Amino acid sequence: MMTIDPAGRSDPERPTTYIHFSGFLAHIENGFNLFAAFSILALIMLAVAQVLGRLLFNTPIPGFIDITEQAMAIFAFAGVAYCQRVGGHIRMEIVLGQLRGRTLYICEMLGVMLIAFTVALLIWGSLYHFDRSWTIGDSTMDIRLPTWPSKLVIPVALGLLFLRLLLQIYGYARLVANPARQPVEVPMIENVEDVAQHEIEEAFGEETDEEASR
């Protein structure tokens, strides 16, 4: 499952504005994903310091559990939009893998619409919890870290995911209207050979013409 992002210069109906906005959003998603990766690295280093401090000096880091609990929101949600863009989420494709053409695109679009509706509900709920935490001054039990920053990360990250889902709905809608069009900026089912080729290109840092033009 990978995102199709071709140059598509031979397509007279190439959605330039759509591609440009998707590219702008991709930069933000990349930043969030790096933020999540660095938070994991920082937490690993903190865990090492915690173990060494307790083992060698009998001085554990104060509030280690509190810090870990707050950091979990970052690396659990900050990269979710990036993962959706590259088609990295685990999916069951037993049925979808047998579909072709307009039928496949309709099913994909309906699935993304259902996800977008669910994410919208999660945004509303997470904003409520953020507002409550901000209002009452909620904090952790040990070192009294405020909990609102970690609770704010969730609706912001989900909002970014919601924008990506809206773009993918449009991407599938244009394919539903005309299945002969080149898929642009939407995850598509690929065979083993194509997946391996994309992994090789990613490992060696090769870019498509469209990515290089952004």
Side-chain angles (χ1 to χ4, degrees):
M1 186 69 178
M2 295 292 291
T3 299
I4 303 300
D5 185 18
R9 302 186 187 280
S10 61
D11 185 359
E13 299 180 1
R14 183 167 176 258
T16 305
T17 303
Y18 164 63
I19 293 175
H20 286 169
F21 183 76
S22 179
F24 170 76
L25 191 64
H27 288 304
I28 302 177
E29 292 166 345
N30 292 341
F32 271 67
N33 194 51
L34 284 175
F35 181 43
F38 280 119
S39 71
I40 296 174
L41 177 61
L43 195 61
I44 292 174
M45 296 175 64
L46 188 66
V48 172
Q50 162 78 356
V51 173
L52 293 179
R54 181 183 292 274
L55 180 64
L56 301 178
F57 308 105
N58 197 27
T59 54
I61 297 176
F64 174 73
I65 299 299
D66 291 6
I67 297 172
T68 302
E69 289 175 347
Q70 301 307 300
M72 287 176 63
I74 299 175
F75 61 74
F77 289 92
V80 67
Y82 170 87
C83 193
Q84 176 66 28
R85 187 185 91 226
V86 301
H89 293 296
I90 297 175
R91 310 194 329 160
M92 294 298 294
E93 298 177 345
I94 297 176
V95 176
L96 289 177
Q98 308 303 315
L99 303 179
R100 296 292 183 272
R102 181 176 280 113
T103 303
L104 171 62
Y105 299 140
I106 290 175
C107 291
E108 291 278 18
M109 185 178 67
L110 291 177
V112 175
M113 290 174 67
L114 179 60
I115 298 172
F117 176 74
T118 304
V119 169
L121 294 179
L122 292 174
I123 292 172
W124 178 84
S126 58
L127 280 174
Y128 167 77
H129 286 290
F130 158 72
D131 180 68
R132 186 180 64 175
S133 175
W134 173 274
T135 302
I136 68 176
D138 189 26
S139 62
T140 59
M141 294 293 294
D142 189 4
I143 58 174
R144 300 297 180 183
L145 284 176
T147 61
W148 66 263
S150 62
K151 292 185 177 181
L152 178 60
V153 169
I154 299 174
V156 171
L158 291 178
L160 192 61
L161 172 61
F162 186 74
L163 291 177
R164 173 55 58 185
L165 292 171
L166 291 181
L167 285 174
Q168 291 186 351
I169 290 172
Y170 172 79
Y172 284 123
R174 62 186 291 273
L175 295 175
V176 171
N178 184 2
R181 288 171 173 164
Q182 181 71 42
V184 178
E185 299 288 359
V186 291
M188 298 294 295
I189 300 174
E190 294 185 326
N191 55 38
V192 177
E193 291 78 9
D194 292 334
V195 172
Q197 180 62 34
H198 282 296
E199 290 179 351
I200 292 172
E201 292 174 355
E202 183 177 355
F204 286 94
E206 297 179 10
E207 295 181 333
T208 62
D209 292 339
E210 187 64 44
E211 290 172 340
S213 64
R214 290 175 180 170

Short mmCIF file of all heavy atoms in Angstrom, two decimals, residues 5-7 9 14 19-20 23 27 185 205-214:
data_model
loop_
_atom_site.label_atom_id
_atom_site.label_comp_id
_atom_site.label_asym_id
_atom_site.label_seq_id
_atom_site.Cartn_x
_atom_site.Cartn_y
_atom_site.Cartn_z
N ASP A 5 2.17 9.20 -6.52
CA ASP A 5 2.49 10.61 -6.65
C ASP A 5 3.29 10.82 -7.93
O ASP A 5 4.46 11.19 -7.90
CB ASP A 5 3.26 11.07 -5.43
CG ASP A 5 3.51 12.56 -5.45
OD1 ASP A 5 2.82 13.27 -6.20
OD2 ASP A 5 4.41 13.01 -4.75
N PRO A 6 2.69 10.57 -9.10
CA PRO A 6 3.44 10.64 -10.34
C PRO A 6 3.60 12.05 -10.85
O PRO A 6 2.94 12.98 -10.41
CB PRO A 6 2.55 9.83 -11.30
CG PRO A 6 1.17 10.11 -10.82
CD PRO A 6 1.28 10.26 -9.32
N ALA A 7 4.49 12.20 -11.82
CA ALA A 7 4.62 13.50 -12.46
C ALA A 7 3.37 13.83 -13.26
O ALA A 7 2.85 14.93 -13.20
CB ALA A 7 5.85 13.51 -13.37
N ARG A 9 2.59 14.51 -16.29
CA ARG A 9 2.61 15.70 -17.14
C ARG A 9 1.82 15.51 -18.43
O ARG A 9 1.48 16.48 -19.08
CB ARG A 9 4.06 16.08 -17.46
CG ARG A 9 4.87 16.35 -16.19
CD ARG A 9 6.25 16.87 -16.51
NE ARG A 9 7.06 16.95 -15.31
CZ ARG A 9 6.99 17.93 -14.41
NH1 ARG A 9 6.13 18.90 -14.60
NH2 ARG A 9 7.76 17.92 -13.34
N ARG A 14 -4.64 17.34 -15.03
CA ARG A 14 -3.82 17.22 -13.83
C ARG A 14 -4.20 18.31 -12.83
O ARG A 14 -4.13 19.50 -13.13
CB ARG A 14 -2.35 17.36 -14.22
CG ARG A 14 -1.35 17.20 -13.09
CD ARG A 14 0.03 17.04 -13.70
NE ARG A 14 1.07 16.97 -12.69
CZ ARG A 14 1.87 17.98 -12.37
NH1 ARG A 14 1.73 19.13 -13.01
NH2 ARG A 14 2.79 17.84 -11.46
N ILE A 19 -2.45 19.27 -6.06
CA ILE A 19 -1.12 18.72 -5.82
C ILE A 19 -0.26 19.68 -5.01
O ILE A 19 0.46 19.28 -4.09
CB ILE A 19 -0.44 18.39 -7.16
CG1 ILE A 19 -1.17 17.24 -7.86
CG2 ILE A 19 1.03 18.04 -6.96
CD1 ILE A 19 -0.65 16.93 -9.24
N HIS A 20 -0.35 20.98 -5.32
CA HIS A 20 0.44 21.96 -4.59
C HIS A 20 0.04 22.04 -3.13
O HIS A 20 0.90 22.10 -2.23
CB HIS A 20 0.30 23.33 -5.25
CG HIS A 20 1.05 23.44 -6.53
ND1 HIS A 20 0.89 24.51 -7.41
CD2 HIS A 20 1.96 22.63 -7.12
CE1 HIS A 20 1.67 24.33 -8.46
NE2 HIS A 20 2.32 23.21 -8.30
N GLY A 23 1.27 19.03 -1.38
CA GLY A 23 2.70 19.14 -1.11
C GLY A 23 2.99 20.04 0.07
O GLY A 23 3.87 19.74 0.89
N HIS A 27 4.73 18.86 3.84
CA HIS A 27 5.84 19.42 4.60
C HIS A 27 5.50 19.50 6.09
O HIS A 27 6.35 19.22 6.95
CB HIS A 27 6.20 20.81 4.07
CG HIS A 27 6.87 20.80 2.73
ND1 HIS A 27 8.02 20.09 2.47
CD2 HIS A 27 6.53 21.40 1.56
CE1 HIS A 27 8.38 20.27 1.21
NE2 HIS A 27 7.49 21.05 0.63
N GLU A 185 -1.73 11.43 -5.46
CA GLU A 185 -1.77 11.70 -4.02
C GLU A 185 -2.81 10.86 -3.27
O GLU A 185 -3.42 11.34 -2.31
CB GLU A 185 -2.05 13.19 -3.78
CG GLU A 185 -1.00 14.12 -4.35
CD GLU A 185 0.31 14.08 -3.58
OE1 GLU A 185 0.40 13.35 -2.60
OE2 GLU A 185 1.24 14.79 -3.99
N GLY A 205 17.10 7.41 -1.10
CA GLY A 205 16.78 8.83 -1.17
C GLY A 205 16.40 9.32 -2.53
O GLY A 205 16.52 10.51 -2.83
N GLU A 206 15.93 8.45 -3.40
CA GLU A 206 15.52 8.86 -4.73
C GLU A 206 14.15 9.50 -4.65
O GLU A 206 13.27 9.07 -3.93
CB GLU A 206 15.48 7.66 -5.67
CG GLU A 206 16.85 7.01 -5.86
CD GLU A 206 16.77 5.81 -6.78
OE1 GLU A 206 15.71 5.63 -7.40
OE2 GLU A 206 17.75 5.07 -6.88
N GLU A 207 13.94 10.55 -5.47
CA GLU A 207 12.69 11.29 -5.47
C GLU A 207 12.03 11.21 -6.83
O GLU A 207 12.69 11.10 -7.86
CB GLU A 207 12.92 12.76 -5.12
CG GLU A 207 13.44 12.99 -3.70
CD GLU A 207 13.61 14.47 -3.43
OE1 GLU A 207 13.83 15.23 -4.41
OE2 GLU A 207 13.51 14.88 -2.27
N THR A 208 10.71 11.29 -6.80
CA THR A 208 9.99 11.40 -8.06
C THR A 208 10.10 12.82 -8.58
O THR A 208 10.50 13.74 -7.87
CB THR A 208 8.51 11.04 -7.87
OG1 THR A 208 7.93 11.98 -6.96
CG2 THR A 208 8.35 9.64 -7.31
N ASP A 209 9.75 13.03 -9.84
CA ASP A 209 9.81 14.37 -10.42
C ASP A 209 8.89 15.32 -9.68
O ASP A 209 9.20 16.50 -9.50
CB ASP A 209 9.39 14.32 -11.92
CG ASP A 209 10.42 13.57 -12.75
OD1 ASP A 209 11.58 13.46 -12.31
OD2 ASP A 209 10.04 13.06 -13.83
N GLU A 210 7.73 14.80 -9.22
CA GLU A 210 6.78 15.67 -8.53
C GLU A 210 7.33 16.13 -7.19
O GLU A 210 7.22 17.29 -6.81
CB GLU A 210 5.46 14.89 -8.31
CG GLU A 210 4.33 15.74 -7.74
CD GLU A 210 3.93 16.83 -8.69
OE1 GLU A 210 3.79 16.56 -9.89
OE2 GLU A 210 3.77 17.98 -8.23
N GLU A 211 8.00 15.20 -6.44
CA GLU A 211 8.56 15.55 -5.15
C GLU A 211 9.70 16.54 -5.32
O GLU A 211 9.89 17.45 -4.52
CB GLU A 211 9.03 14.28 -4.44
CG GLU A 211 7.89 13.39 -3.99
CD GLU A 211 8.39 12.05 -3.47
OE1 GLU A 211 9.55 11.69 -3.83
OE2 GLU A 211 7.66 11.39 -2.74
N ALA A 212 10.49 16.36 -6.39
CA ALA A 212 11.62 17.26 -6.61
C ALA A 212 11.18 18.66 -6.97
O ALA A 212 11.89 19.63 -6.72
CB ALA A 212 12.50 16.68 -7.72
N SER A 213 9.99 18.79 -7.55
CA SER A 213 9.50 20.09 -7.97
C SER A 213 8.90 20.90 -6.84
O SER A 213 8.62 22.08 -6.98
CB SER A 213 8.45 19.95 -9.09
OG SER A 213 7.30 19.27 -8.61
N ARG A 214 8.68 20.27 -5.65
CA ARG A 214 8.05 20.98 -4.53
C ARG A 214 9.07 21.81 -3.78
O ARG A 214 10.19 21.44 -3.63
CB ARG A 214 7.40 19.97 -3.58
CG ARG A 214 6.17 19.30 -4.20
CD ARG A 214 5.66 18.22 -3.25
NE ARG A 214 4.49 17.57 -3.82
CZ ARG A 214 3.94 16.49 -3.34
NH1 ARG A 214 4.45 15.90 -2.27
NH2 ARG A 214 2.89 15.95 -3.90
#
